[in-house]
Amino acid sequence: MFKKTLLALSIAGIAGFANAGTVVTSVTEVANGAAVACNGDAVVDDTASNVDGVYEATGTTNTTPAVGATCVIAETLVTTPTSSSIEAAQNVAVPANASLVAGIGGYEAGDTITINISGAQIDTATSLSPTLTDASGVLTINVLDITATAVRFTVTAGTSAGYVILNLTGINLDATGLSASTEVTYDAFATNTSGTDFDVSSGVVVADLVPQYSATVVDSMDGIIDVSADRKSLALNADDAHTGEVLNQDTLAIAVSLDATGTIITPATVEYVFSGDFSWLETAANTSDDGKAATAAEVQTYLGGGFYTGTGDDTLTSTTLNADMDTLTVITAAVSGDVDTAGEFLFPVQGNVTGAAVLNETPYSVSITAKDATAAPNTISMSTGSKSAGEWNLNGSVVTVPYMPFDDNTAVIMRHTNTGVQTGDISVRYMLEGVSTAWSESIVVGSSSRGVMNIRDAVINAIKADAGVTSGKVAIEITTNVPAADVTVYAAYKVKDEQDRGFVGTFGQHGSAN
């Protein structure tokens, strides 16, 4: 069943190797006649006597090396899978090559070799000519048939040595429906002419299909909205030093990793989609004052040339803000056909100047999608998914009184308690029932210091004056420029010609908002 002359040359090198067939990613062979050092002997012109196309698991050692000596050099089974892009496998041919090392008996004419695949399927539309080639050149092997889950070959001529190396090529992967990382596994067995299976190999991972890119937020957006500056400024915070930020700036730093090392899609552009409250950007960028949303050109002009900085050569090409002011889309060009491994986005706000927008507390997120140069609708997209990009918070206490009636027949009760040692302004925003669904501009109504204050008149009179009303039902947001943990607001009301009091709630970290 196999050539004993070849087996005799290789039998010394197969100790410890399994007698059944083995599937591997590839075999690193040492060619017969190669000038190499012999297993630790420092004689670089010893000549290897390895048998080409036959796997030698172990080698011989020369105890008295000499020029021209021969030895067998141990060869290597490569088991590290090739990692290719899922997006590539869904759009182009992604090969899944492998090697099959025969067991001790080798193969002969009439044997059938079956290779099964799991984890993904074979793309039969592009795998038109799969081949299983005998590296020793002894066997003639032809493809018998192929399905989405298996390929079969038949040995039509020859008798091989044991441990002969067969190389599988021409199999392309089909990743339809895959989105998460997937291991592609081959297992194999041979069947002789009597119908007996042999060389049965267990499943071996020969390839990985992974999303081409992943992303990590390195420095999150962490803007602190300064309530003492009418909520129009970002205060400096302890995290600003390492990003080089100054007053009224916030930085987002992102790292992007190319996770596929095999077949990939070449990107042409990279799309960064930021979600959050960007009403401040609309106000700052819209210089045309034409009643329409800021144009992409206006947004890009305001953000400036320093808005994006990458570690590579990607260049900023466009920035677009949607009409709802909650999505900012940034496009960069992947100039060298790859994505910058790290990039920073510097968000500047106007600060406490006339006409600037009030900054709102908001979470931010970002999704990154690299795209190839193919025109729509056939563009290939490689997304990293959505990532939390941080948030903007106020630097004080914010409590909301959800309902308060006021008129000549209603006595409002509102007490503000500061249990800390810091003094700061008290400001309010309000929404009047039946009048507006948006918060008003912030109004400073007083100053808070340690203790209990009656803020009823300051708050209600400010609302009446600002709204031009004498009665109504109102929601009130009360901001105090002191630590949030120090503030509690008690709110109630009493209809003057009735005995009952209407309790609204105790709000803040020292009270129960329920």
Side-chain angles (χ1 to χ4, degrees):
M1 185 176 178
F2 53 89
K3 292 188 176 180
K4 294 182 179 179
T5 53
L6 286 175
L7 177 61
L9 289 171
S10 61
I11 196 71
I14 60 177
F17 182 69
N19 289 331
T22 301
V23 176
V24 292
T25 305
S26 63
V27 180
T28 302
E29 273 206 279
V30 177
N32 185 18
V36 292
C38 189
N39 279 10
D41 294 331
V43 181
V44 296
D45 60 347
D46 285 357
T47 301
S49 59
N50 293 44
V51 179
D52 289 342
V54 175
Y55 171 64
E56 283 90 11
T58 59
T60 59
T61 300
N62 286 346
T63 57
T64 56
V67 174
T70 61
C71 63
V72 175
I73 305 299
E75 296 172 331
T76 305
L77 298 180
V78 179
T79 57
T80 303
T82 301
S83 180
S84 292
S85 159
I86 287 178
E87 296 89 348
Q90 292 171 339
N91 293 278
V92 300
V94 173
N97 299 334
S99 294
L100 172 63
V101 179
I104 193 171
Y107 302 111
E108 64 181 6
D111 291 342
T112 299
I113 301 170
T114 302
I115 300 174
N116 299 306
I117 186 173
S118 58
Q121 293 190 331
I122 298 172
D123 185 354
T124 55
T126 62
S127 304
L128 300 177
S129 302
T131 60
L132 189 63
T133 305
D134 174 11
S136 72
V138 173
L139 301 176
T140 300
I141 306 174
N142 295 325
V143 64
L144 188 61
D145 55 31
I146 186 171
T147 68
T149 58
V151 59
R152 293 196 303 165
F153 297 91
T154 183
V155 180
T156 58
T159 300
S160 79
Y163 309 104
V164 68
I165 301 168
L166 307 183
N167 294 318
L168 175 67
T169 59
I171 297 295
N172 297 319
L173 298 176
D174 180 1
T176 301
L178 296 181
S179 58
S181 297
T182 300
E183 293 182 334
V184 180
T185 300
Y186 284 157
D187 64 76
F189 65 91
T191 307
N192 62 22
T193 53
S194 66
T196 301
D197 292 342
F198 64 99
D199 274 9
V200 179
S201 72
S202 57
V204 173
V205 178
V206 297
D208 291 324
L209 290 177
V210 299
Q212 183 159 321
Y213 295 104
S214 62
T216 304
V217 173
V218 179
D219 288 316
S220 298
M221 299 175 71
D222 57 0
I224 298 176
I225 302 168
D226 192 350
V227 296
S228 67
D230 294 333
R231 301 192 191 185
K232 296 181 179 181
S233 291
L234 293 179
L236 293 175
N237 64 45
D239 294 332
D240 292 344
H242 70 282
T243 60
E245 294 170 5
V246 298
L247 188 68
N248 293 319
Q249 291 181 345
D250 196 15
T251 301
L252 175 68
I254 299 171
V256 179
S257 172
L258 173 62
D259 295 334
T261 57
T263 305
I264 64 171
I265 299 297
T266 300
T269 59
V270 186
E271 179 182 83
Y272 301 85
V273 178
F274 300 94
S275 298
D277 188 332
F278 287 102
S279 56
W280 61 268
L281 180 57
E282 157 65 22
T283 301
N286 195 349
T287 58
S288 57
D289 195 25
D290 56 3
K292 300 178 181 178
T295 65
E298 287 176 325
V299 172
Q300 191 160 339
T301 297
Y302 172 76
L303 291 173
F307 172 59
Y308 174 76
T309 305
T311 54
D313 56 6
D314 290 7
T315 57
L316 180 66
T317 59
S318 69
T319 53
T320 305
L321 182 62
N322 70 337
D324 290 334
M325 300 175 290
D326 58 6
T327 303
L328 176 66
T329 302
V330 178
I331 306 294
T332 64
V335 177
S336 298
D338 55 18
V339 179
D340 283 355
T341 56
E344 290 189 356
F345 297 86
L346 182 65
F347 293 90
V349 303
Q350 287 179 292
N352 191 12
V353 297
T354 302
V358 170
L359 306 176
N360 297 315
E361 287 191 298
T362 180
Y364 285 105
S365 63
V366 60
S367 63
I368 305 169
T369 304
K371 298 182 178 182
D372 78 338
T374 307
N378 298 315
T379 306
I380 301 174
S381 297
M382 297 149 280
S383 176
T384 66
S386 181
K387 308 288 182 183
S388 171
E391 59 185 352
W392 284 3
N393 293 302
L394 295 170
N395 61 354
S397 160
V398 180
V399 300
T400 301
V401 178
Y403 169 80
M404 180 62 70
F406 63 96
D407 55 32
D408 292 341
N409 193 41
T410 302
V412 173
I413 304 164
M414 199 174 295
R415 295 292 189 273
H416 180 288
T417 302
N418 180 348
T419 59
V421 296
Q422 184 173 327
T423 299
D425 288 339
I426 301 173
S427 59
V428 299
R429 296 194 303 172
Y430 65 89
M431 280 191 293
L432 278 168
E433 181 181 283
V435 176
S436 175
T437 58
W439 289 109
S440 69
E441 292 288 319
S442 180
I443 309 167
V444 177
V445 298
S447 178
S448 169
S449 58
R450 183 178 179 87
V452 181
M453 294 176 57
N454 180 359
I455 60 171
R456 175 196 60 197
D457 291 343
V459 171
I460 297 301
N461 290 342
I463 292 172
K464 288 179 178 179
D466 187 71
V469 298
T470 58
S471 63
K473 300 177 179 65
V474 66
I476 309 168
E477 181 190 79
I478 301 171
T479 299
T480 310
N481 192 21
V482 301
D486 294 344
V487 174
T488 305
V489 173
Y490 172 87
Y493 64 91
K494 180 181 181 300
V495 178
K496 293 180 180 179
D497 56 9
E498 297 179 4
Q499 295 299 316
D500 294 336
R501 172 181 291 190
F503 175 66
V504 178
T506 304
F507 306 94
Q509 295 187 18
H510 285 119
S512 171
N514 297 319

